[in-house]
Amino acid sequence: MDSLMNAVAPRSPAPAKKPSEVDFRSGAALDQLSSQVSELVLLEQRDFGDQTALEVHTAKDFIFNMLGLVQKIDQRLPVANEYLLLSGGAREGVLDLNPEDLGDYAKGADFDLDFTLLVPALKLHDRNQPVTLDMRHSPPCHSWLSLRLCDSKILSRWSVCCQEENGLSPEEEEEEEGDTGKGAIPSLGSPQALDGCYFSPALVTGWFWGVVSEAVEELRRSPQRGIPTPDRLERNGPLTTIILQAGSSRVLYDLLPVVSFRGWPAVAQGWLTANHFWDGKITEEEAISGFYLLPCCSALGGRPDREWRLAFSRSEVQLKKCIPYPMAQAFQAAKAVLARILARPRTGLGLYHLRTLLFWACDRLPSTYLSCSDADTPGRLLLGLLDDLAHCILGKNCPNYFLPQCNMLEHLSDAQALLVARKLAHVRSDPSEHLRAALDQAQQAGHLKKELTASTNGHGSPGHQPSNGIISPSEDKLAQRLQQLVTENPGKSISVFLNPDDVTRPHFRIDDKFY
């Protein structure tokens, strides 16, 4: 009887679906925002087809061939150099550069893919090579670089880019004379001992622009079938920007001469003692494998002829691997939205500030919160990043992630801060609308790329294919080899890389094995 009653008893109702959380400020449903974030990220990170992958490879091949020609022409770059290739142009916030100097380029209208390449002019990797970072004259995160202790070969090679001590302004000269013998740093000795040895970022970037221009012109004079053609070559502050036409793809490269170091600077030792979100995910050796000096001075009265900016790009590449995926999605969407409102006018605020807040947020917030699988999570994290940025702007305070004593927004005037805060408040009041606008822009860029691809397939392209549309034998062989590797190694990580000492041969890596 009991079993009969149980059979006819009404079933308990299914658990009610949890309603989506609503943002108090804008009234937007967080699951809807998250859906827009995911769609935007998919558009921004769409997979390369075989043709585009080949075009990206040939563009990279051209850049390294061009740098090999620079070495042949000038013979100042290190023979066995170590470049750092970053996905995204300088305007994407991959480097801490002054936003006013970066030039205006729009994805879809000017280029399809963009990269940043750090080119070490000096590679100070020998731990037995003494280095003098002179931070007496600079604000935090900046330094002058003296080559006083380098060997005679380096001094002779780079004397054209070094400055005499009397390059100081009269006021600084008087101050130095008054301080001589009083409070001098023993390892540096008197300022007079540094005469003629300051490595000038302004002279280095001017030299680099000149030799790259010469190399590109030489390559233009002898075009080869199947090789990308330089469409635009422009100087933007410290950057040398080149846009290559590689088949149906326009590939932008921001090239930046830097000084490369192994190890970790003493001024950033405090960062190593703090707790971080990447603890236990990567080793300390991976996190602190080296740092750079960028040719960029302080935005608040810096010396462009002397002042370099410390950068930790190698570390950032490693740290990005440890960011929970929902947070990475939110960051990507925030970049797409903010890029539109920060482009004009440039106000001293760039996307690298957002990247800095991303790292701080990952340190501050629990990993379980950042990686929560709820449908609302990407939208919630997007709003959090926007709120964080608004707080920093209004307070004109954004500590550098690696050197917290450096306030990256100290240079903002009240008028600049108010202008950006108003723009950000407009975004925050209707984030869904701004995500839609970013989606439309990404879709338009995709349509332009498809139209150009169709045009190239129909009529050929001078930069990648001959007028009869026939692919060169070397390119066809490479494409076949790529296709064979993909077929034979399902589910494995496959990449193509170039040996800087032999850029004529492509190499393949499958997981951890090289071919």
Side-chain angles (χ1 to χ4, degrees):
M1 186 67 179
D2 288 342
S3 60
L4 181 60
M5 293 297 294
N6 290 334
V8 298
R11 295 181 180 179
S12 57
K17 184 181 179 182
K18 179 184 175 182
S20 175
E21 188 177 336
V22 175
D23 173 41
F24 183 91
R25 175 71 182 87
S26 64
L30 292 188
D31 62 349
Q32 180 184 351
L33 289 180
S34 296
S35 176
Q36 289 178 301
V37 167
S38 299
E39 185 179 354
L40 180 57
V41 169
L42 285 175
L43 276 175
E44 293 278 342
Q45 298 179 342
R46 55 184 176 271
D47 292 334
F48 292 164
D50 290 344
Q51 179 179 346
T52 302
L54 184 59
E55 291 164 354
V56 170
H57 169 77
T58 58
K60 184 169 67 171
D61 194 3
F62 177 94
I63 292 295
F64 282 107
N65 271 309
M66 183 272 295
L67 291 173
L69 185 56
V70 165
Q71 173 62 18
K72 181 180 178 181
I73 292 171
D74 190 86
Q75 297 185 347
R76 281 192 176 88
L77 292 177
V79 176
N81 217 345
E82 295 184 18
Y83 307 101
L84 183 64
L85 181 62
L86 304 173
S87 179
R91 287 144 294 280
E92 290 286 306
V94 297
L95 292 174
D96 181 16
L97 296 173
N98 296 335
E100 299 86 351
D101 299 332
L102 304 183
D104 291 317
Y105 301 91
K107 190 171 186 178
D110 299 304
F111 66 90
D112 304 305
L113 301 152
D114 54 339
F115 301 91
T116 300
L117 186 68
L118 301 189
V119 181
L122 271 180
K123 191 176 70 169
L124 302 176
H125 289 188
D126 185 354
R127 295 187 182 274
N128 296 320
Q129 169 69 64
V131 176
T132 304
L133 293 180
D134 185 356
M135 300 183 178
R136 297 171 297 166
H137 315 282
S138 306
C141 207
H142 297 81
S143 177
W144 295 9
L145 175 62
S146 173
L147 302 186
R148 175 173 67 95
L149 301 179
C150 292
D151 61 48
S152 57
K153 290 182 180 179
I154 291 179
L155 286 173
S156 174
R157 187 187 311 146
W158 287 109
S159 60
V160 67
C161 291
C162 287
Q163 283 191 337
E164 300 292 333
E165 177 62 18
N166 59 17
L168 286 171
S169 65
E171 295 80 7
E172 288 177 307
E173 285 183 337
E174 291 173 6
E175 182 180 344
E176 288 292 343
E177 290 171 2
D179 291 341
T180 300
K182 178 179 68 176
I185 300 176
S187 62
L188 297 180
S190 66
Q192 285 74 22
L194 303 176
D195 285 357
C197 295
Y198 281 122
F199 201 40
S200 169
L203 294 178
V204 170
T205 54
W207 159 82
F208 187 71
W209 162 254
V211 293
V212 168
S213 299
E214 184 179 349
V216 169
E217 285 305 313
E218 183 166 331
L219 292 171
R220 276 175 169 161
R221 286 194 294 268
S222 53
Q224 300 180 33
R225 198 168 78 172
I227 299 299
T229 56
D231 186 34
R232 293 165 64 179
L233 179 66
E234 297 167 347
R235 185 175 181 181
N236 296 294
L239 297 170
T240 293
T241 302
I242 182 170
I243 298 179
L244 301 173
Q245 185 69 54
S248 63
S249 298
R250 295 160 300 166
V251 186
L252 181 149
Y253 269 90
D254 284 319
L255 309 177
L256 187 69
V258 298
V259 181
S260 174
F261 296 86
R262 286 291 187 194
W264 200 249
V267 70
Q269 286 297 320
W271 183 76
L272 298 178
T273 62
N275 294 324
H276 296 292
F277 69 96
W278 51 267
D279 292 337
K281 299 176 182 176
I282 56 174
T283 65
E284 185 173 289
E285 288 73 21
E286 290 175 306
I288 61 171
S289 59
F291 67 101
Y292 295 95
L293 294 183
L294 309 184
C296 184
C297 68
S298 168
L300 197 63
R303 289 281 303 272
D305 60 327
R306 294 287 179 86
E307 211 165 78
W308 298 81
R309 180 172 294 174
L310 275 74
F312 303 89
S313 303
R314 284 184 184 276
S315 301
E316 291 177 15
V317 169
Q318 299 298 325
L319 301 189
K320 281 183 64 180
K321 300 175 183 177
C322 305
I323 295 173
Y325 183 64
M327 188 61 161
Q329 284 183 302
F331 172 67
Q332 189 77 13
K335 275 203 314 178
V337 169
L338 293 174
R340 302 175 66 253
I341 70 168
L342 296 178
R344 294 181 182 85
R346 296 273 170 81
T347 55
L349 185 78
L351 293 179
Y352 187 81
H353 296 99
L354 183 69
R355 175 189 283 245
T356 300
L357 295 180
L358 169 73
F359 290 140
W360 281 120
C362 289
D363 270 0
R364 184 179 69 247
L365 297 167
S367 175
T368 52
Y369 173 77
L370 297 176
S371 57
C372 178
S373 59
D374 288 354
D376 295 350
T377 300
R380 183 184 295 110
L381 296 177
L382 168 67
L383 299 180
L385 285 172
L386 297 178
D387 290 340
D388 249 11
L389 185 59
H391 176 77
C392 288
I393 292 169
L394 290 173
K396 294 193 294 185
N397 183 39
C398 179
N400 184 288
Y401 181 65
F402 300 93
L403 294 169
Q405 63 269 36
C406 172
N407 177 11
M408 299 167 63
L409 294 181
E410 186 179 12
H411 62 280
L412 279 187
S413 68
D414 290 342
Q416 287 176 323
L418 184 59
L419 174 62
V420 179
R422 283 175 174 168
K423 289 183 174 183
L424 194 56
H426 186 65
V427 173
R428 188 62 182 81
S429 66
D430 194 354
S432 182
E433 176 60 31
H434 286 271
L435 281 170
R436 273 194 294 271
L439 274 167
D440 289 343
Q441 187 172 357
Q443 288 169 345
Q444 289 171 8
H447 290 325
L448 286 172
K449 177 68 170 68
K450 287 180 180 178
E451 290 174 3
L452 186 58
T453 300
S455 173
T456 300
N457 290 339
H459 303 95
S461 167
H464 185 64
Q465 296 178 350
S467 56
N468 59 8
I470 300 175
I471 298 177
S472 67
S474 61
E475 290 178 351
D476 188 46
K477 184 178 179 181
L478 174 61
Q480 291 176 6
R481 179 65 172 142
L482 279 171
Q483 188 61 48
Q484 179 183 356
L485 288 172
V486 170
T487 304
E488 295 176 351
N489 299 274
K492 293 187 177 181
S493 173
I494 302 175
S495 60
V496 182
F497 73 99
L498 291 174
N499 177 2
D501 298 324
D502 181 13
V503 296
T504 62
R505 298 176 57 208
H507 303 264
F508 301 94
R509 182 178 69 187
I510 302 177
D511 289 340
D512 295 327
K513 295 182 179 180
F514 294 86
Y515 298 86

